[in-house]
Amino acid sequence: MNRACIFSIQRASFVDGPGIRTAVFFKGCGLRCEWCHNPESWSSQPQLLFYQNRCMQCGRCRIACPNGAIRDDYTVKVDLCSQCGMCEQVCPGGARELCGKMMSVDEIMSEILADRDYYGPDGGVTFSGGECMLQVDALESLLRFCKREGIQTAVDTAGNVPFDLFEQIEPLTDLFLYDIKAVSSSLHKSLTGADNALILDNYRRLHQFCAEKLIVRVPVIPNRNAIDMVRIADFVGENTPVMVELLPYHAMGISKAQAFGASVLNTKPPSQAEMEDFRRLFRERKVVCV
Amino acid sequence: MLSKRLCIMAERYHNFDIYPEAVSPEFDRGDLLLKGFGCQAKRTAEYILAQPIGLNDDDRFVGRIRFNGCVEGEIYNRSGYKNNNELISKFYKQPFENLCTYDSQHSTADFGRVIAEGLEASLIKIEESRSKHAGDLDGLSYLDALETVIRAMIARADLCAAACEEKAAFAEEPRRSELLEMARILHKVPAKPAETFREAIQSLFFLFQFLPDSIGTPDRYLYSYYRHDLDAKICTEEEMKEYIQELFVTINAFRPYDNLWSGDKGGESHFSLGGFTPDGKDGFNDLSRLIITAMMELPLYRPQVSLRWTPETPIEVLHFVMDAERNDFFKRIALVNDVPRVKMLTNHIGMAYEDAIRYTMIGCNEPAIQGAIYYGGCKTNMVRSLTRTLYDFENECIACEDFDAFFEVYRKHYEEDMKRFIEICDGFNLYRSRDVDMISSILLNGPIEKARSATRSGLKVATSGTDMIGWVTVIDSLCVIRQFVYEEKRFTMAELIAMLRADWNGFEEIRREIYRTAKYHGNDDPLSREVAAKVSRMIRDFFTDKRNVFGFKFVIGNQIGYCAHHTYFGKNTPATPDGRHAGDNISFGGGQGGGRDRKGLTALLNSVADMDPACIVCGPCVTNVMLDESLIRNDSYFRKTVSMVDSYFRKGGLHVQLNYVSREELLAAQQEPQSHENLRVRVSGFSGYFTRLDPGIQREIIDRTVKS
C-alpha cells in the first residue's frame, strides 16, 4: 500500500520519543479518549475544520461549495460535505482547513528525509495518530523505506489492533511507544469508549516478543485515570524491565476541538508534586521512568 | 562563585563611573605651527600624560584612561574622530537616496602581538620603516608621530607604576607587597614583552584603553601564559579567573552609562573563543572555559562573546557554552560557524588560511581581522533595486515571459544600485580619511610598515563591507512573483504592479491569500531555496571583483546595528510583492518572522543554512530564533536543542542567537514597561533591555515566530 491518510506531519518534535524526531500523524482511531487533544484524528476520512474567529463572513465558501453544504451561519452540514476542499482554497481568512489528506509514501518520506541531518543517533521518525496501525500496509511501506535510509523508527500505538499487525511491522520498528490509559476495564471503557482486554493482552505479548523495544506511555489525567494509577503501575511492573513515560494532561488541543465541533475534556493539569508521586509508584515497582 | 573583592568591584562599577574624569590639558597654540603630524602627535602625548591615574584600594591593574575628544582623530572610541562623527550625525540614521546609511567602523587591536613583543619593539620597527621611507616626508612625519605617542604610552605606564609605589609607602601588608608587585609589572609592560599571565593581563588592561573595542581572541594569545603559569605553579586558575574578571569590569565600564544605544554601559565590546587552529583542529581550550566561567559569575552587561564553532567542536563544549547562555540573564553569548566564514575570507577576500583563522567577532556580530579596521560598512537597502525595477521599469517587467527573464531585469537594476553604493561608500571612506589616527595605528598591523594612518589604507589587511538590509524581503517578494505570476498564474505582472501602486488597497483578499499560501523563506521549500540561491549568486557575481577606494574587498552581511535601519529604509520603500505595505519595516537578518515560517524550527534552520550557497555572507549577520522556554528549562529538551544547533552548523548555518521569551510577554512588556524593566533579549548583535529598545526593533522581535 503506497498511500495513507495523514492529518499532520510535525518536524522538530522533542516530545515524540528520544532525540529530535519527525512525527507523522495518521488519521483514524478506534478510541474516543475524553482528553484527546487531536479529535480530528478520530475519523479515518478527511474532514473540514472551521475556525469561527477567523471567518469574515464574506460568503466565498458558500459560493464555491458544489454541494451547498455551508449554512447561513457558515457552519457545515456534515452529511453534505464531500471534503473537496474548495472552501479552504477560496477562504481569504484561513477559517477553513481540510484536515487529513491522502499522501503517498514518497510524499511522506520527502518530509521525513528533510530533517535527517538533525536526527543524530537518538532521533528519527515516529509514526503516530490517531492509530497508525489501522493503516498498517502503508505504515509497513514507510518503515521499510526508513530502514533503507538508515532512519530510526518508532511506532506510537494504543495497541487496540490484532496482534498479527505487530508481528508484521516489528522487524522494521526500533521502538514501540505503547499507550496504557487504564487497567480497570470499566474505567477504560468509560474514558475511551473501548474495552482494554486486547490492549493489555497485546502488551503482554509484545513485551515477551521485544521488551527492549518498548516504552510504555501513560497519560495522567486528574480525576479520570489518575485514580487507576496504582493498578497501572502494578500491571506494568509485572513485566520488567521496561521504561515508562508519564504524560501530564494539557489543554492545548481545546481550541482545535472547538474548530472541529467536538467537545473535549477541559480540566486542570496535574501538579509537579502529583507527577512525582506517580513516578514514585512506578519506581517502587522497578520500572524506569523516562 | 564571585570573590568578595570582585563583588565589591562590580558593586562599585554599577553605582559609579570607575574611570577617572578626563582632563583637557591646555595646549600651546604654537603646536599649530608644527609641520606634518607634529601638532596632533604632541597634543596626543600631552593628553595621555595629563590624565589622572585611577587606583582604588582593591585594584590589581592600573591604567584606566578615557579620551574626551579634545585630541583629534582617534578611531575608537570615536570621540575625537571629527570627520567620522560628522558623517554619523548626517548619515547614520538618515538613509542617503534611500540606498545606504553610513556605518562607523570597528577596529580590532592585535593585542596578542603587542603583549608578546612589547611597545619598544614597535620603536625598533619605526626605525626600520624610516629607512624604507626616506624621502617620503609625510610618511616620516607620521612615523615621528607614532614614536611620540608610543613613548607617551610607555611613560604613562611608568607614571602608573609610580602611583603604585607612592601608595605602597603608606600601605600595610599584604596590600603593600601587592602594590610593589603592580609597580614592578608596570615598569615592565607594556614596554617590554609579558612573561606571566598577570603581566599579560596588565598589558592587555593598559593597552585596551587605547583601542577599547574588542579584545579579540584572548583564549589564543593568552594561552601560553596561562599554561606556563599553571605548569610553573606561579598562579592558580582561581587567581587567573579573578584577573580576567577585573579586566572585564573595566572593559564594561570604559564608556559611561549611555541611554542612546541599548541602555547599557560598555558599548559593543565583543570577543570570541574557539575556532579553527592552524592545524585545522578546534581551538576551544581550558582557558576558553575559564573565561566563560569568569564572565558568567559577573553581573555585567558586557563584554559579549561568540563561540566559534567548528566541526571538531565536541558536543560537550557546545553544551557547556549553551548551558551558560541559557542561564545568562544578560544574554551575552552568541554562536557562529567558522566553516563558511573562513571559507569566505580565504576564497573571496583572498586571505591565507593562517590569517583568516585569526578573525574575531566584534561589535554587533561583526567579523573582524585582529590588527585591522573593518572599513565601515554602510547599511544598504537591498529592496530598493527590486521596487525600482517594478515601479520604474514596469514595461520591462511586463515583457518578461518567465521568472528567469524577470530576474535578469532585476539583476541589472540591482547592479546599478550596487555601483552607486560603492561610489557612496568610497565617498564616506575618503571623507573619513581626513582624520588621521595615531594611537589605534600603533595597535593595528601595517601603519608602521607603510608609514600611513590606518584611515588612509595603512593597514596590511582590511575589509570594507555592507549589510544588505531587506534580504529576506527580497527573497519573499521574488518567491511571490515566481509562484503567483509565472507558475500558478493567479495574476499577471501588470496586475501585481497595479496592486503594489495601490499599496494593496482594494486588494486585501489577494494580499491575504498571498500571506496564507506563499512559499516564503523559512519553510524549507524548494522554490524559496532556489530563489534564495539565485539572490546569493547574484550578490557574489557582482562583488567578486569589486574593491573599495583603498583597494580592499567587500564583505557582505545582513544585519542592523543598534538602530532600526530596517525601519528607516522601510519608511521610504513602497509596497512589495511579499504583501508588505508601503512604509512598513523591511527585513533584516537571515531568519523569518511575522508567522511566515510555518513548518517549525528545523525548517527555518534548513532554510537559513541553505540561503547562501555562494557563501558570500561572511560579514555581520544574524539569525534570531525565538524558542519556547520549555526547550531549555527541561534538561532533556535542552540536550536536544544543543544537538539541533550542532546539526544546523554542520549544514552550513553561519550564526544563531537564541531568545527564550514568549510573544505574550513581549506584548505585555510594551503595554506595561514598568513591570518588565528587567526583560532582556538578544537583538541584532547585542542584547538589551527590551523596554528601552527602539520601537521598530521591538516590533521586529515580537514578530519573530516562537518555536516550541
Side-chain angles (χ1 to χ4, degrees):
Chain A
M1 168 65 90
N2 283 326
R3 293 170 70 79
C5 189
I6 305 295
F7 75 89
S8 177
I9 297 180
Q10 166 131 7
R11 292 166 66 170
S13 168
F14 279 25
V15 300
D16 290 296
I20 297 167
R21 308 190 80 81
T22 295
V24 180
F25 294 93
F26 286 62
K27 210 165 185 307
C29 185
L31 305 184
R32 294 292 181 264
C33 303
E34 267 193 7
W35 56 83
C36 179
H37 56 262
N38 290 321
E40 70 276 23
S41 69
W42 294 345
S43 164
S44 59
Q45 302 300 315
Q47 289 169 291
L48 197 58
L49 270 69
F50 173 48
Y51 294 96
Q52 196 149 33
N53 60 340
R54 299 180 198 169
C55 177
M56 291 184 288
Q57 305 195 345
C58 64
R60 293 180 76 182
C61 54
R62 299 187 67 216
I63 298 168
C65 178
N67 303 320
I70 300 177
R71 298 187 184 95
D72 288 350
D73 63 358
Y74 294 92
T75 55
V76 173
K77 298 174 201 165
V78 174
D79 50 338
L80 293 179
C81 176
S82 63
Q83 299 97 41
C84 64
M86 290 303 300
C87 56
E88 184 193 40
Q89 282 184 38
V90 304
C91 177
R96 304 264 178 217
E97 183 186 324
L98 195 60
C99 175
K101 60 177 181 172
M102 295 306 292
M103 292 179 73
S104 68
V105 164
D106 285 341
E107 284 173 314
I108 299 168
M109 281 309 300
S110 170
E111 291 279 329
I112 293 170
L113 291 171
D115 276 355
R116 68 184 310 166
D117 291 328
Y118 294 98
Y119 296 148
D122 299 329
V125 62
T126 298
F127 296 106
S128 182
E131 177 55 67
C132 57
M133 294 188 69
L134 291 177
Q135 301 181 66
V136 73
D137 291 333
L139 175 62
E140 184 186 358
S141 298
L142 286 163
L143 288 167
R144 203 174 292 286
F145 208 138
C146 287
K147 290 321 269 180
R148 230 174 19 240
E149 294 289 339
I151 294 174
Q152 199 227 53
T153 55
V155 168
D156 182 7
T157 176
N160 196 28
V161 294
F163 190 75
D164 60 330
L165 302 190
F166 284 100
E167 288 172 324
Q168 182 178 344
I169 62 165
E170 186 274 331
L172 303 166
T173 307
D174 297 308
L175 194 60
F176 285 98
L177 305 174
Y178 198 99
D179 297 351
I180 293 182
K181 305 169 204 306
V183 165
S184 153
S185 170
S186 56
L187 182 65
H188 194 278
K189 183 124 181 147
S190 76
L191 294 178
T192 71
D195 191 68
N196 64 351
L198 180 61
I199 294 170
L200 299 181
D201 189 52
N202 279 343
Y203 174 77
R204 288 188 193 94
R205 292 175 73 178
L206 199 62
H207 189 274
Q208 274 187 327
F209 205 42
C210 55
E212 71 285 358
K213 292 187 181 184
L214 267 180
I215 294 181
V216 177
R217 292 183 127 195
V218 180
V220 178
I221 320 295
N223 304 319
R224 295 294 190 276
N225 77 336
I227 53 177
D228 206 36
M229 205 57 65
V230 172
R231 292 190 65 182
I232 297 173
D234 282 341
F235 173 79
V236 175
E238 279 169 16
N239 297 287
T240 54
V242 74
M243 288 189 284
V244 75
E245 188 178 1
L246 300 186
L247 305 172
Y249 166 82
H250 61 75
M252 287 197 282
I254 289 179
S255 60
K256 214 184 342 158
Q258 286 167 348
F260 191 63
S263 92
V264 289
L265 180 68
N266 184 359
T267 189
K268 248 179 60 171
S271 67
Q272 284 212 11
E274 284 170 319
M275 289 301 296
E276 190 43 42
D277 285 342
F278 292 138
R279 284 191 200 99
R280 194 162 20 85
L281 285 178
F282 287 86
R283 284 197 286 264
E284 284 167 357
R285 288 150 178 80
K286 308 270 190 283
V287 177
V288 173
C289 290
V290 300
Chain B
M1 214 165 84
L2 200 60
S3 69
K4 194 169 165 203
R5 182 180 209 154
L6 263 301
C7 281
I8 294 171
M9 277 192 187
E11 181 80 25
R12 184 185 309 129
Y13 146 82
H14 276 295
N15 295 324
F16 304 101
D17 183 357
I18 63 173
Y19 270 69
E21 193 166 333
V23 164
S24 295
E26 200 157 325
F27 296 121
D28 180 353
R29 61 182 170 151
D31 295 343
L32 298 170
L33 305 177
L34 293 171
K35 289 182 190 167
F37 301 105
C39 174
Q40 186 178 340
K42 180 170 179 283
R43 290 185 171 189
T44 302
E46 285 173 8
Y47 180 92
I48 290 171
L49 293 172
Q51 298 313 304
I53 291 165
L55 176 53
N56 295 310
D57 289 341
D58 45 16
D59 282 343
R60 273 177 297 210
F61 300 104
V62 191
R64 284 189 279 270
I65 180 174
R66 197 176 268 149
F67 290 83
N68 66 2
C70 73
V71 172
E72 286 186 25
E74 288 312 319
I75 299 173
Y76 216 87
N77 54 14
R78 305 175 183 150
S79 57
Y81 203 22
K82 293 194 167 45
N83 292 284
N84 169 72
N85 291 345
E86 191 178 354
L87 287 174
I88 289 179
S89 69
K90 295 195 163 53
F91 294 99
Y92 182 56
K93 286 190 181 183
Q94 304 90 315
F96 186 60
E97 298 177 5
N98 204 34
L99 177 59
C100 51
T101 59
Y102 173 71
D103 219 1
S104 201
Q105 96 269 308
H106 284 279
S107 314
T108 312
D110 191 350
F111 288 120
R113 171 180 65 79
V114 183
I115 291 169
E117 288 178 350
L119 284 173
E120 286 176 355
S122 296
L123 293 173
I124 297 171
K125 287 182 190 172
I126 286 174
E127 206 46 54
E128 289 166 1
S129 191
R130 280 197 178 103
S131 59
K132 289 187 188 138
H133 288 91
D136 173 5
L137 294 180
D138 267 355
L140 290 174
S141 175
Y142 188 67
L143 291 172
D144 288 344
L146 292 185
E147 181 179 349
T148 301
V149 175
I150 289 174
R151 292 196 185 282
M153 289 167 73
I154 293 174
R156 176 165 171 85
D158 283 327
L159 288 174
C160 291
C164 294
E165 284 157 350
E166 198 180 308
K167 274 219 168 176
F170 299 99
E172 292 181 2
E173 291 296 349
R175 183 58 176 163
R176 182 174 181 277
S177 294
E178 191 170 68
L179 285 162
L180 290 174
E181 174 63 3
M182 288 159 64
R184 180 197 70 75
I185 292 173
L186 281 157
H187 279 309
K188 181 178 175 183
V189 302
K192 292 182 170 39
E195 290 177 295
T196 67
F197 190 80
R198 184 169 175 175
E199 289 174 5
I201 294 289
Q202 172 62 76
S203 192
L204 177 57
F205 186 104
F206 186 94
L207 294 168
F208 176 80
Q209 315 299 321
F210 296 92
L211 213 175
D213 196 337
S214 170
I215 58 172
T217 55
D219 60 340
R220 294 191 186 217
Y221 61 75
L222 293 177
Y223 186 76
S224 60
Y225 306 106
Y226 163 86
R227 194 74 260 152
H228 166 270
D229 279 18
L230 283 181
D231 292 345
K233 295 187 172 34
I234 294 172
C235 200
T236 65
E237 267 211 334
E238 191 61 31
E239 287 167 329
M240 292 186 199
K241 186 183 75 168
E242 281 207 23
Y243 297 159
I244 294 167
Q245 288 170 334
E246 193 167 332
L247 171 71
F248 283 169
V249 169
T250 280
I251 285 175
N252 208 58
F254 88 88
R255 185 144 81 185
Y257 183 81
D258 183 355
N259 201 34
L260 175 64
W261 307 116
S262 67
D264 293 342
K265 295 188 190 188
E268 309 99 3
S269 190
H270 188 164
F271 67 99
S272 57
L273 300 171
F276 280 119
T277 59
D279 58 353
K281 300 258 185 299
D282 185 76
F284 192 90
N285 55 40
D286 291 338
L287 179 56
S288 320
R289 195 177 291 267
L290 183 66
I291 291 172
I292 293 273
T293 305
M295 264 181 83
M296 293 300 114
E297 287 180 0
L298 282 170
L300 305 179
Y301 307 104
R302 297 284 187 271
Q304 308 180 68
V305 65
S306 282
L307 170 71
R308 284 172 47 186
W309 178 94
T310 76
E312 303 288 320
T313 301
I315 194 77
E316 177 272 328
V317 166
L318 186 59
H319 188 281
F320 168 74
V321 175
M322 286 182 66
D323 189 43
E325 196 278 331
R326 69 169 165 159
N327 290 311
D328 182 26
F329 165 79
F330 296 97
K331 305 299 289 172
R332 291 169 283 188
I333 299 177
L335 309 164
V336 297
N337 184 353
D338 246 26
V339 175
R341 193 157 264 135
V342 170
K343 186 175 161 187
M344 209 278 188
L345 289 173
T346 51
N347 290 357
H348 173 65
I349 302 296
M351 294 180 72
Y353 172 78
E354 300 72 42
D355 292 328
I357 60 171
R358 291 188 69 243
Y359 89 88
T360 183
M361 297 304 292
I362 61 171
C364 296
N365 283 350
E366 301 162 54
I369 312 302
Q370 291 179 88
I373 292 178
Y374 174 68
Y375 279 104
C378 308
K379 302 277 186 265
T380 302
N381 179 3
M382 199 173 155
V383 183
R384 180 180 184 264
S385 42
L386 181 62
T387 52
R388 271 202 322 120
T389 302
L390 290 165
Y391 285 77
D392 299 347
F393 300 94
E394 182 172 350
N395 291 338
E396 262 189 87
C397 298
I398 290 169
C400 295
E401 292 191 354
D402 55 37
F403 179 72
D404 286 344
F406 171 80
F407 192 87
E408 290 311 307
V409 173
Y410 162 57
R411 179 202 297 270
K412 184 176 69 176
H413 297 300
Y414 172 78
E415 291 185 352
E416 285 164 3
D417 269 7
M418 290 305 104
K419 282 176 187 155
R420 180 62 185 139
F421 147 69
I422 292 177
E423 283 171 5
I424 297 170
C425 184
D426 283 346
F428 286 152
N429 277 317
L430 284 170
Y431 194 87
R432 185 173 50 200
S433 72
R434 298 177 193 191
D435 291 318
V436 169
D437 73 290
M438 288 173 188
I439 298 173
S440 312
S441 282
I442 289 164
L443 301 171
L444 301 173
N445 295 334
I448 291 177
E449 289 81 357
K450 291 191 178 184
R452 294 170 75 82
S453 160
T455 52
R456 297 183 177 179
S457 77
L459 296 168
K460 186 178 149 197
V461 130
T463 53
S464 193
T466 180
D467 288 313
M468 299 277 179
I469 308 302
W471 194 312
V472 172
T473 301
V474 167
I475 292 174
D476 283 349
S477 294
L478 291 172
C479 285
V480 167
I481 290 172
R482 178 172 152 177
Q483 179 187 346
F484 286 76
V485 173
Y486 293 107
E487 290 188 359
E488 296 175 12
K489 299 191 194 310
R490 294 212 230 169
F491 40 76
T492 64
M493 178 62 77
E495 286 168 343
L496 171 63
I497 294 174
M499 290 192 274
L500 294 177
R501 290 194 194 282
D503 194 14
W504 303 103
N505 290 320
F507 301 100
E508 286 80 11
E509 281 188 20
I510 295 181
R511 180 174 171 269
R512 254 183 244 113
E513 193 180 335
I514 289 172
Y515 181 79
R516 275 197 321 111
T517 63
K519 294 176 182 175
Y520 290 129
H521 168 71
N523 294 293
D524 207 9
D525 186 273
L527 186 149
S528 62
R529 200 179 305 127
E530 283 168 22
V531 168
K534 278 178 96 78
V535 171
S536 162
R537 291 187 190 109
M538 175 184 76
I539 298 171
R540 178 210 50 205
D541 290 346
F542 177 81
F543 279 100
T544 198
D545 59 353
K546 301 296 184 297
R547 291 177 182 273
N548 79 354
V549 64
F550 296 126
F552 298 119
K553 296 200 78 170
F554 289 93
V555 156
I556 307 298
N558 66 18
Q559 69 161 34
I560 62 173
Y562 270 110
C563 292
H565 288 94
H566 62 314
T567 299
Y568 310 148
F569 286 135
K571 274 199 179 83
N572 291 314
T573 300
T576 41
D578 63 331
R580 182 189 144 277
H581 278 297
D584 277 357
N585 290 353
I586 58 177
S587 67
F588 77 87
Q592 185 57 287
R596 294 181 179 196
D597 49 327
R598 304 178 190 115
K599 286 201 165 179
L601 180 55
T602 47
L604 173 66
L605 294 177
N606 279 353
S607 297
V608 176
D610 288 343
M611 75 187 284
D612 182 30
C615 213
I616 189 68
V617 171
C618 82
C621 77
V622 64
T623 299
N624 284 303
V625 174
M626 300 286 276
L627 296 178
D628 189 271
E629 224 194 347
S630 63
L631 295 189
I632 45 110
R633 291 301 152 219
N634 174 309
D635 283 346
S636 163
Y637 291 171
F638 175 65
R639 279 193 293 278
K640 298 181 187 186
T641 306
V642 172
S643 168
M644 184 170 291
V645 169
D646 186 74
S647 297
Y648 163 67
F649 281 149
R650 283 181 202 284
K651 288 175 70 72
L654 181 49
H655 169 273
V656 71
Q657 56 190 28
L658 309 171
N659 273 301
Y660 319 110
V661 61
S662 69
R663 193 162 184 269
E664 289 71 25
E665 191 175 359
L666 296 172
L667 288 169
Q670 275 194 325
Q671 296 299 315
E672 293 174 5
Q674 67 282 6
S675 307
H676 294 82
E677 282 177 350
N678 285 335
L679 178 61
R680 278 187 78 86
V681 291
R682 284 291 301 179
V683 183
S684 178
F686 63 98
S687 61
Y689 288 105
F690 179 77
T691 55
R692 303 184 205 175
L693 294 172
D694 185 294
I697 295 181
Q698 285 187 353
R699 160 102 183 270
E700 191 279 335
I701 295 171
I702 288 169
D703 278 349
R704 295 173 195 165
T705 313
V706 177
K707 308 294 181 293
S708 60

